[in-house]
Amino acid sequence: MSQFNTEKGVQSIFLLIALMSITLLFLIMVFLFLEGLPIFHHVSVKEFIFGQYWYPTDDDPAFGVFPLVIGSFTVAAFAAVLAVPLGIMTAIYIAEIADRRIAEIVKPIVELMASMPSVVIGFFGMVVVSPFLQQTFNIPVGLNLFNAGLMLAFMAIPTICSISEDAIFSVPSAIKEGSYALGATHLETIIKITIPASLSGISTGVILGLSRAIGETMVVLMVAGGAAIIPESLFDPVRPMPSTIAAEMGEAPYHSEHYYALFAVGITLFAFTFLFNLAADYISYKYKQAGEGYS
Amino acid sequence: MSQKISWRRTNFQKIIFSSFSASAVLNGAILILIVYFLVSNGIEAISFDFLTKPPIDSMTRGGILPCIVGTSLLCAVTIITALPIGVASAIYLNEYATKGKLVRIIRMGINNLAGVPSIVFGLFGLAFFCIILKIGVSLLAGGLTLAIMTLPVIIASSEEALKSVSDTYREASLAMGATKWQTIYKVILPAAFPGIITGAILGLSRAAGETAPIMYTGAVFFSPMMPSSPFDAVMALPYHIYVLATAGTNIEATRHLQYGTALVLIALVFGMNLIAIIIRSRVRKKMKI
Amino acid sequence: MKHLIKSIIYLLFTAITASSLMAGELTLKGSTTVLPIAQKCAEAYMAENPDVKITLSGGGSGNGIKAIIDGTADIGNSSRFIKGKEVKLAQSKDIYPVPFRIALDCIAPVVHPSSKVSNLTMDQLKNIYLGNITNWKDVGGKDGKIVVISRDSSSGTFEVWKKLVMHKKRVIPRALTIPSNGAIVQAVAKTPNAIGYVGLGYLTKDIKAVLVNNVKPSEKNTLNGSFPITRPMFMFTNNWPEGETMSFIAFVLSKKGQALVSEAGSIPIF
């Protein structure tokens, strides 16, 4: 009986610890709201979301998050244009085309890409890419949407690639062999059979990669240029949400309007990435990969 | 099917396939390009003094010892807190949990925690650890913030490690009269140990490289002496790179220090990753046999 | 295994603690504008007093003064004087912040060396940054669209610019925002139609400083009050400082300390 009790005890301790992640996630939300919602005593929700101007330190401050949100999305969209095809094509190469030995070399390279510290990528963007862009395109400064998008693409590729690769690799060979037997070439099989079968995994990878691009801080802080405007060209500077928080938090006095506003930007940012993650979670749960039923 | 069409099909396939491999090559090339720039520009900065001396002359000369120590201590705090919690969570999910709503919610929590932007962890750490718990900007607050960020990585890889332990181990142990807890503690954990360590190292490498979570919770601009308690703030490698590259008094003159610091950081991070990759491939080989 | 890790950590900390047991400790927090000065002085001071440990962090003038009120720092760096609201808060906590004026700051407008413009009035500067003047030919230069470069809204330099030049009006959002003096120098040096502003200590031959109302930005003109874009910098302490804090402040205000102030790119007060 006592042994049974210990076992029960051990199990509930593990359960408690396992609940910690969700508790922490909950706590993060609670604190964001606790420190961010007071800003709405100063501005209305509509002004905050659709306000065109971000002048948090003025005597008559303006807390319009709209240009920051647009900044985040344009940078992430540009990153996606580059990262999605590159990531998926690399994934197909690793899973389908390369022979095992080469794949075993390429995969760790992708992992190393993922582990590259963001501050180092930002640094690279500042000292190497920025002067290069300045000279090549004859523009005033190289710190802009284009540069930030390039750097973020580099950060999103590994996420997109490794999740897609897992999905493509796990498509059962029986399906593929069926396709070959009907006379399809390798390429036709990949396009018509393998990719559709692993689409849920690939879209999960794309969503998570984009979520990473939107939430990434140091790169945009260092290379996006920092002007809170709605960009009109690829070479305009932008001020995405994470860089706004990181650049200004140090100078915002505790429990001032500015402090609340930055936490409110944090809520906005969190809300977007949370939606992205929920979507990815939903897709991978709902549309169980073809083949998972076979194994 | 005529010969000509088939020839076209295979040629078309060849072109497309080479574009696939080109994209893989491109990725590798960019990585090599970045590493090459860091190494070629940073290698002159690396010396024994650079690694063992504090910075001097407004950080325009001297070394980065306080940053190396700071980053190592932050990692120590991170792993001491995140590893037990992560492994225990993985044990629950893999050994105890039965499919159901609760597990689904826990998994959703972990997945979403993994997707929280790094600066949001920083905001949380600032509001919760530094201000509410009154720890202040310190090693402890920074390390704990990093620990929360690292937790999902450790849980995921520990779970993978536990999963790879064959059920025959479990059955054998239970058959010999061991309780479930004894089985986990004496049989499963030792068998999964290399996999868990791999996860811990991967988590650590991520914690070592992150800047945003510690900017306002643990790292400071300048503190050349060693920290004397967990409540001291420290200098950290990634934050030091950021400071030197954007806020130094003479940015151009400290370029070689910036490259040098970046080189040390990626050497640290890549080193940890390579160790993890090697351990993992060995474990996987062993499992196959 | 766990015990081993624990004891290693414990040993590590006790070893470090023991080695610094004798040390006096000083914590400085606040304005990033004062940071270079504080850092130079801290280094020189620690070189003279090897048993003293100084920690330095940014966080802005407001946080520097708040740290004094909360007792989380010994010295609060500030690039502005204390506000009435802050004095009241301090008094309610029985704390009496004491200001020490340690240096002056002079901010010079800069343009590309090829520019024909060598003097701008305060009004012209204001209108350029408001976006009302957009072409160099309107202020006596060659025909060309002005590229306006400004600092992050959180920087102390920007605060002065906003107060003294802009009279608290908003800089056009389209202005490039650059995180440091050094980066502004780089950007202006590479952009023929750019205008920016930097602290006096950052002027180099790659950029051209512009006269303001026909007054040259210089140490002399700052001290005699004729250059219009200047401000004092402060270190705040809780009550009249004692012990280590006192001797550090005394060091900053000594001849040696003031020499370091000018090395850091600011203007010494004497």
Side-chain angles (χ1 to χ4, degrees), chain A residues 109-110 112-130 147-158 219 223, chain B residues 25-43 241 258-267 269-270:
Chain A
I109 288 179
V110 173
L112 282 186
M113 274 174 81
S115 72
M116 186 73 111
S118 52
V119 70
V120 174
I121 297 175
F123 176 65
F124 183 80
M126 266 179 94
V127 290
V128 181
V129 181
S130 158
N147 192 344
L150 279 185
M151 297 298 108
L152 283 186
F154 182 76
M155 301 203 70
I157 286 173
V219 166
V223 303
Chain B
V25 171
L26 184 64
N27 286 334
I30 298 170
L31 182 74
I32 290 168
L33 185 74
I34 294 182
V35 174
Y36 168 76
F37 263 101
L38 294 177
V39 172
S40 65
N41 289 295
I43 198 82
I241 299 174
Q258 297 161 22
Y259 275 113
T261 314
L263 188 56
V264 171
L265 181 63
I266 62 160
V269 169
F270 280 12

Side-chain angles (χ1 to χ4, degrees), chain B residues 189-212:
Chain B
L189 274 184
F193 186 71
I196 292 175
I197 287 298
T198 316
I201 297 173
L202 286 178
L204 266 188
S205 84
R206 182 156 180 226
E210 271 293 350
T211 321

Side-chain angles (χ1 to χ4, degrees), chain B residues 8 90 95 163 251 282:
Chain B
R8 241 200 233 151
E95 305 295 325
K163 243 181 224 154
I251 297 176
R282 284 202 178 163

Side-chain angles (χ1 to χ4, degrees), chain A residues 110 114 155-164 205-206 208-209 212:
Chain A
V110 173
M155 301 203 70
I157 286 173
T159 312
I160 297 176
C161 177
S162 56
I163 298 176
S164 307
V206 169
L208 290 181
R212 184 161 184 213

Side-chain angles (χ1 to χ4, degrees), chain B residues 229-266:
Chain B
S229 85
F231 300 104
D232 277 0
V234 291
M235 294 174 87
L237 284 171
Y239 188 60
H240 192 62
I241 299 174
Y242 172 67
V243 163
L244 285 182
T246 60
T249 28
N250 194 343
I251 297 176
E252 280 300 320
T254 59
R255 273 288 182 251
H256 64 290
L257 292 183
Q258 297 161 22
Y259 275 113
T261 314
L263 188 56
V264 171
L265 181 63
I266 62 160

Side-chain angles (χ1 to χ4, degrees), chain A residues 222-237:
Chain A
M222 293 168 90
V223 303
I229 53 167
I230 293 162
E232 285 162 5
S233 95
L234 271 182
F235 298 117
D236 271 350

Side-chain angles (χ1 to χ4, degrees), chain C residues 3-105:
Chain C
H3 286 285
L4 187 73
I5 295 172
K6 257 189 198 162
S7 44
I8 288 173
I9 299 294
Y10 181 75
L11 272 177
L12 213 68
F13 270 118
T14 43
I16 293 164
T17 320
S19 66
S20 60
L21 209 59
M22 313 287 289
E25 287 197 24
L26 269 182
T27 307
L28 282 77
K29 248 188 207 171
S31 165
T32 41
T33 326
V34 188
L35 220 49
I37 301 175
Q39 188 173 32
K40 286 243 177 225
C41 292
E43 274 179 350
Y45 188 78
M46 281 193 281
E48 284 182 15
N49 309 280
D51 55 339
V52 179
K53 180 182 158 194
I54 300 179
T55 302
L56 196 56
S57 52
S61 301
N63 277 347
I65 290 168
K66 187 190 161 280
I68 290 300
I69 298 172
D70 294 347
T72 53
D74 302 295
I75 295 174
N77 299 328
S78 175
S79 51
R80 58 166 171 80
F81 200 69
I82 190 164
K83 290 178 186 166
K85 227 163 59 182
E86 290 163 336
V87 174
K88 265 188 204 136
L89 181 66
Q91 280 171 347
S92 74
K93 292 187 176 178
D94 267 342
I95 279 165
Y96 295 90
V98 179
F100 291 88
R101 201 173 69 138
I102 54 147
L104 291 163
D105 201 11

Side-chain angles (χ1 to χ4, degrees), chain A residues 110-196:
Chain A
V110 173
E111 277 178 60
L112 282 186
M113 274 174 81
S115 72
M116 186 73 111
S118 52
V119 70
V120 174
I121 297 175
F123 176 65
F124 183 80
M126 266 179 94
V127 290
V128 181
V129 181
S130 158
F132 174 77
L133 292 179
Q134 218 173 357
Q135 275 160 20
T136 320
F137 297 101
N138 197 19
I139 43 176
V141 279
L143 304 174
N144 50 31
L145 200 167
F146 188 85
N147 192 344
L150 279 185
M151 297 298 108
L152 283 186
F154 182 76
M155 301 203 70
I157 286 173
T159 312
I160 297 176
C161 177
S162 56
I163 298 176
S164 307
E165 193 257 324
D166 275 348
I168 296 168
F169 190 70
S170 59
V171 173
S173 48
I175 307 185
K176 288 186 259 177
E177 278 152 17
S179 166
Y180 295 139
L182 290 171
T185 62
H186 194 176
L187 178 66
E188 287 159 351
T189 310
I190 290 174
I191 292 173
K192 299 226 170 104
I193 306 292
T194 318
I195 292 183

